[in-house]
Amino acid sequence: DQNVQLSVGASKPLQAKIRIRIPSWAAKQMAVYVNGKKTMTGNPGTYVNLSREWKNGDVISFDLPMNFKATRYEGSEKNYNDGQHYVLEYGPVMMAALNVSNPQKEIRIRANADKLVKSMKSMPGKPLCFSVEGNKDLQYRPYFELQDELFSCYPLISEK
């Protein structure tokens, strides 16, 4: 989930620093709230330092700004090193493509990578699962959730 809440548990008030890391994959600046009030904003790849007297029940909250990113395959697999195979990541999560109507069929996506990223739609009631606008056969799910399904983390993505 993108929404994070941390609750402080302290038997007595305590002066301390708490550092919140804004991950380098964050899509934009991230605001950090203490007890519902915006306290600081930080850039991706940095830390926000919260220095104060903390009391039992104080709440630190923030929304991780996640977005899709397409990365072209560059590796040792010759069949994939053609400039047309891409992985999609959603924040830190590597996504896998599945052909839901014909699982045995090779996954080929007729689009450019930027267009594909913009066409991703979240699936209600299925966290981190996405459909592709205009393609009822294709879904993206987190790689770590897959068991026995046939999938591709680097499907062919080309306008041809």
Side-chain angles (χ1 to χ4, degrees):
D1 193 356
Q2 292 176 255
N3 309 92
V4 178
Q5 281 197 341
L6 308 169
S7 297
V8 175
S11 58
K12 61 182 182 178
L14 173 68
Q15 180 67 40
K17 280 186 184 178
I18 296 179
R19 297 182 74 195
I20 305 292
R21 184 174 78 83
I22 293 107
S24 59
W25 51 257
K28 60 184 179 181
Q29 286 188 328
M30 185 179 87
V32 178
Y33 298 81
V34 175
N35 299 327
K37 293 181 183 175
K38 186 175 176 180
T39 305
M40 299 190 84
T41 301
N43 292 316
T46 65
Y47 286 83
V48 169
N49 293 304
L50 304 172
S51 181
R52 60 176 274 154
E53 184 176 272
W54 298 96
K55 297 177 181 70
N56 191 48
D58 282 343
V59 175
I60 302 166
S61 61
F62 50 91
D63 291 329
L64 291 166
M66 295 170 65
N67 210 346
F68 278 99
K69 176 178 126 184
T71 304
R72 185 175 44 230
Y73 178 83
E74 293 178 7
S76 59
E77 292 291 328
K78 291 179 183 176
N79 293 345
Y80 284 76
N81 250 336
D82 59 5
Q84 297 181 40
H85 287 81
Y86 291 81
V87 67
L88 287 190
E89 298 165 276
Y90 186 64
V93 181
M94 183 164 92
M95 304 300 288
L98 297 95
N99 185 327
V100 293
S101 65
N102 187 354
Q104 302 301 321
K105 187 177 177 184
E106 179 185 9
I107 299 171
R108 295 174 154 257
I109 303 168
R110 291 197 180 272
N112 68 40
D114 291 333
K115 183 179 176 185
L116 177 63
V117 163
K118 292 176 183 168
S119 67
M120 303 300 285
K121 302 293 176 204
S122 63
M123 298 174 67
K126 294 184 178 183
L128 294 176
C129 294
F130 298 87
S131 62
V132 178
E133 189 174 42
N135 188 335
K136 64 178 176 36
D137 298 331
L138 185 62
Q139 288 182 6
Y140 271 89
R141 297 184 197 156
Y143 170 69
F144 66 81
E145 285 186 355
L146 301 176
Q147 298 290 319
D148 299 321
E149 301 90 344
L150 293 176
F151 65 90
S152 176
C153 287
Y154 288 93
L156 182 97
I157 299 174
S158 174
E159 291 183 289
K160 297 177 186 178

